[in-house]
Amino acid sequence: MDFKLPDIGEGVHEGEIVKWLVKTGDSLAADQPMVEVMTDKATVEIPSPVAGTVAEILANEGQTIEVGKVIIRIAEAGKTAPAKQAEKVEQKQVAPTPATSKPAERVVESAVEVDESLPFHILATPATRKLARDLSVDLRTVKGTGLHGRVTKMDVQLAHEGHQAATPRSSHASLAVTPAVSTQRASVPAVVRGALQVVPLKGVRKKIAESMSYSKHTAAHFTYVEEVDMSAVVKLRASAQEEAQKRGVKLTYLPFIIKALIPALMEFPYLNSSLDDEKQEIILKGDYNIGVATDTPNGLMVPVIKAADRKTIWELATEIQLLSEKARTGKISLEDMKGGTFTVTNAGSIGGVLATPVINHPEVAILGVNAIRKRPVVKNDQIVIGDVMFLSMSVDHRVVDGADAARFMNRLIYFLSEPSRLVFA
């Protein structure tokens, strides 16, 4: 069979071949990882949809391939499913039906077991079933993303973590997002005096370069900076640390900032929009999906907190912690990284007074959160020590005027300076 680069996700039209995990002549098992492909969203590991032998590899490492182009030829193994098993299951795929109807039937391939004691036939290899048993995962609760709805090991692992992707990521096979390099940031040795060291621009760094260049050359950036007294948020967070420990949640300042962003975005919808350059249309978003720029060993990634307006501080903190960990360990999915409407980038934990962040295209604004430092502030005509933070917001001037950006920032500061106001927002 000719295996084509699959439609990896929304808005992805091409991918860079990062690394082949097989070579010509190798034997392949169904679901065995074949190749790592880098898109502008993430690095994905694509497994083989069938068992067989690698006949020919048609794409080189470092080459950019369009979706739908053949990248590998596989000589399929003969059908070896036991006749007894073949008699049990009709060889066709039928759309799932309600539990009250006759159970849906799906294709069964060799080395795939079917459990007919369940309301629906569940396709999974013995190894996947063993993993599910080891992790105490009920396969009836897992949505298969493999060929013909087969449950894969990655599906079980994601279900175990409690955050399985809602939809299949490919019509060919399940796509596991994996790190392109070690999860530990590689240390670069000092360059010998007088020498030059050449580092290829590829992988995540290449995609970051392309995305940032496109954004800077497309959006008309301007940056607005304001300071906010975070003393009330600092005290509120400190008072909640005991509860955070009980819940096993790392409570940072980001959940409070995101919580304050929501009413401000609702009042200024153009900040929560995108610009369709081709159609010349401004698209105002009714959803509030907040991207959180995350520093990872593989480069900058932006996991997205969906429906942030419907989440509590604790839910936001939990999701930030989970998505950040998945991004840093290479387990982030494409579903986790799409659909953002506004992005927050936080360098405050590292340091810095202010920044001029680059907009995460096609969004129209990004908020830079900087370090909180003790500074003199004036309260009731008295100079006192306050916990002050600078907010740096870059905005697309094609969509948002400077005055509206300033009004938006004032509204955000209104809620951050006294978080109890969020109760009435």
Side-chain angles (χ1 to χ4, degrees):
M1 69 169 290
D2 286 351
F3 183 87
K4 301 176 181 178
L5 182 65
D7 182 1
I8 297 172
E10 179 181 302
V12 175
H13 306 292
E14 62 184 18
E16 177 187 337
I17 305 298
V18 176
K19 181 181 181 182
W20 280 103
L21 306 177
V22 296
K23 61 183 183 297
T24 302
D26 283 356
S27 295
L28 278 174
D31 287 330
Q32 177 182 335
M34 296 189 302
V35 61
E36 289 180 0
V37 176
M38 170 67 65
T39 74
D40 58 353
K41 304 288 185 181
T43 300
V44 297
E45 188 178 82
I46 301 179
S48 174
V50 296
T53 304
V54 178
E56 187 178 5
I57 291 176
L58 301 173
N60 298 322
E61 292 182 359
Q63 185 176 355
T64 298
I65 305 294
E66 293 180 358
V67 169
K69 296 291 185 181
V70 178
I71 60 174
I72 187 173
R73 289 197 174 101
I74 303 172
E76 294 186 61
K79 299 295 183 180
T80 58
K84 182 177 179 181
Q85 185 185 61
E87 293 173 359
K88 287 185 178 181
V89 182
E90 184 181 351
Q91 300 296 306
K92 65 181 180 178
Q93 183 175 3
V94 182
T97 55
T100 55
S101 303
K102 183 180 178 180
E105 296 180 329
R106 295 175 178 174
V107 175
V108 177
E109 301 177 0
S110 60
V112 177
E113 294 182 347
V114 177
D115 190 341
E116 292 190 328
S117 66
L118 300 175
F120 296 93
H121 295 331
I122 296 178
L123 302 184
T125 64
T128 299
R129 292 182 182 278
K130 182 179 184 302
L131 178 63
R133 289 193 297 270
D134 292 344
L135 297 178
S136 300
V137 173
D138 185 348
L139 288 177
R140 290 172 294 188
T141 65
V142 181
K143 185 175 183 66
T145 63
L147 187 65
H148 305 305
R150 180 169 60 226
V151 177
T152 67
K153 288 183 177 180
M154 179 58 69
D155 295 330
V156 172
Q157 187 65 48
L158 291 174
H160 173 64
E161 295 173 0
H163 291 269
Q164 184 190 24
T167 57
R169 292 185 285 275
S170 169
S171 58
H172 296 270
S174 63
L175 305 180
V177 179
T178 58
V181 296
S182 168
T183 55
Q184 297 297 322
R185 189 179 298 280
S187 58
V188 180
V191 180
V192 177
R193 184 182 296 276
L196 297 175
Q197 180 178 349
V198 178
V199 179
L201 183 63
K202 63 179 183 178
V204 175
R205 180 49 52 192
K206 180 179 179 180
K207 293 302 178 184
I208 291 173
E210 291 173 352
S211 297
M212 296 297 99
S213 296
Y214 185 83
S215 179
K216 288 293 287 186
H217 287 91
T218 304
H221 282 65
F222 78 90
T223 301
Y224 184 85
V225 180
E226 185 56 278
E227 65 178 12
V228 54
D229 185 352
M230 293 285 287
S231 299
V233 173
V234 170
K235 291 178 181 177
L236 181 58
R237 173 176 175 263
S239 68
Q241 287 302 330
E242 184 176 347
E243 179 65 20
Q245 291 179 0
K246 291 179 181 178
R247 293 172 179 260
V249 176
K250 182 181 179 181
L251 185 60
T252 66
Y253 292 109
L254 271 179
F256 299 96
I257 293 168
I258 292 173
K259 199 70 175 175
L261 269 172
I262 301 304
L265 289 172
M266 288 179 175
E267 292 184 40
F268 296 89
Y270 278 86
L271 273 296
N272 196 59
S273 71
S274 63
L275 177 61
D276 188 322
D277 296 289
E278 183 176 344
K279 296 181 180 179
Q280 289 295 288
E281 295 175 342
I282 299 172
I283 304 169
L284 305 180
K285 308 293 181 63
D287 295 320
Y288 299 89
N289 303 329
I290 308 300
V292 178
T294 304
D295 178 39
T296 80
N298 299 325
L300 186 68
M301 295 185 180
V302 187
V304 176
I305 300 174
K306 308 292 174 52
D309 56 312
R310 298 199 293 269
K311 290 181 168 64
T312 66
I313 288 288
W314 297 115
E315 289 170 335
L316 291 172
T318 300
E319 194 160 348
I320 290 169
Q321 184 175 337
L322 174 69
L323 289 175
S324 297
E325 182 63 21
K326 288 172 71 176
R328 293 189 182 100
T329 58
K331 296 179 181 179
I332 198 76
S333 73
L334 296 179
E335 186 69 26
D336 291 328
M337 298 178 66
K338 69 180 184 181
T341 62
F342 186 96
T343 295
V344 177
T345 179
N346 176 23
S349 58
I350 302 173
V353 176
L354 60 85
T356 56
V358 178
I359 297 168
N360 186 20
H361 186 84
E363 298 166 18
V364 302
I366 181 170
L367 179 70
V369 178
N370 301 287
I372 298 175
R373 293 178 176 172
K374 298 288 187 182
R375 297 182 185 277
V377 296
V378 178
K379 290 184 178 180
N380 300 320
D381 292 331
Q382 298 292 320
I383 298 177
V384 298
I385 297 175
D387 295 291
V388 177
M389 177 174 69
F390 286 92
L391 298 173
S392 312
M393 185 173 67
S394 292
V395 183
D396 189 342
H397 217 325
R398 298 176 302 169
V399 178
V400 180
D401 292 330
D404 285 334
R407 294 185 185 103
F408 169 83
M409 189 75 89
N410 289 340
R411 199 60 175 157
L412 175 60
I413 291 171
Y414 171 81
F415 292 112
L416 284 176
S417 62
E418 186 48 72
S420 62
R421 293 167 176 159
L422 288 169
V423 177
F424 306 100

